[in-house]
Amino acid sequence: MLKCKTGAMLFRSLQMLATGIILLAACPVCAATDQADLSVGMKTLPLLTTKITGVATLAIVYDPDNPTSKEEADGIKAVLDSGFEAPGDLKLIGALVPVGNLGKMARSRIAILTGGLSAYYDAISAAAENNSILTMSTDLNCVKSNKCVLGIASKPRVEIYFSKAAADAAKISFAEAFTMLVKLI
């Protein structure tokens, strides 16, 4: 009897592990945006042809009805509020922007999208295009669908994905050297 219980518990544990691995494989980037990811994204700013200097608002776009998205947005804001160092003389001020109020993005030059926003990609992209906002996310599907300009990953290695179509639509351009540093979508 003990042998069967132990075997069943082991089988269930292996099943849960396999399910977790499958879910991770299905999701290109499931981790919430952290300080390392933000640092990777911000290192691209000096390569913009239209420099962002001084104090700039960084929109943190999230879905208030999605607890994971809200938690990620709060985490990003906390990183920015704790003295995050942007390149050069740039000082970033984080502003939480719920997907239901994308008009708040208009005051921003940069927007970070949390995960879980695929249903809002078109609306976010349109708001970014209308206001020439550089969009970035750790959700690489946003870039692959040409709705975000940059996809950022700091783990397991640093990678930056670039959607030229999204950049052109938002009138965002980078120095020529930038394309050697990124993976084009």
Side-chain angles (χ1 to χ4, degrees):
M1 181 75 163
L2 181 62
K3 195 173 189 180
C4 287
K5 272 189 173 178
T6 305
M9 286 180 9
L10 179 61
F11 179 73
R12 270 183 286 198
S13 295
L14 289 173
Q15 261 186 323
M16 290 183 349
L17 178 62
T19 301
I21 290 170
I22 290 168
L23 289 174
L24 283 173
C27 180
V29 177
C30 291
T33 306
D34 62 16
Q35 184 167 350
D37 297 317
L38 286 175
S39 293
V40 169
M42 296 309 122
K43 291 201 185 302
T44 65
L45 299 181
L47 297 171
L48 287 166
T49 55
T50 303
K51 303 291 182 228
I52 301 173
T53 58
V55 177
T57 301
L58 184 146
I60 305 164
V61 184
Y62 72 102
D63 180 358
D65 295 329
N66 178 330
T68 304
S69 176
K70 174 71 169 112
E71 184 178 320
E72 182 177 351
D74 290 340
I76 294 168
K77 178 113 171 71
V79 168
L80 292 172
D81 292 349
S82 69
F84 178 80
E85 290 190 31
D89 66 346
L90 182 61
K91 168 79 171 122
L92 296 171
I93 307 295
L96 295 175
V97 176
V99 289
N101 191 4
L102 293 175
K104 285 180 67 176
M105 281 178 58
R107 295 175 279 196
S108 304
R109 299 282 311 276
I110 309 160
I112 299 284
L113 282 62
T114 65
L117 300 181
S118 60
Y120 305 99
Y121 284 168
D122 289 337
I124 295 166
S125 178
E129 290 170 13
N130 290 336
N131 297 288
S132 294
I133 298 170
L134 171 63
T135 51
M136 55 181 79
S137 181
T138 56
D139 179 355
L140 301 183
N141 287 325
C142 188
V143 181
K144 290 177 182 176
S145 64
N146 292 315
K147 301 300 179 180
C148 286
V149 176
L150 297 177
I152 50 178
S154 62
K155 295 164 227 57
R157 63 181 183 268
V158 172
E159 294 181 315
I160 301 171
Y161 298 84
F162 175 59
S163 167
K164 182 161 176 25
D168 289 347
K171 298 169 197 74
I172 303 287
S173 59
F174 290 90
E176 285 182 39
F178 176 76
T179 57
M180 293 185 292
L181 304 172
V182 298
K183 294 182 177 197
L184 294 170
I185 297 295

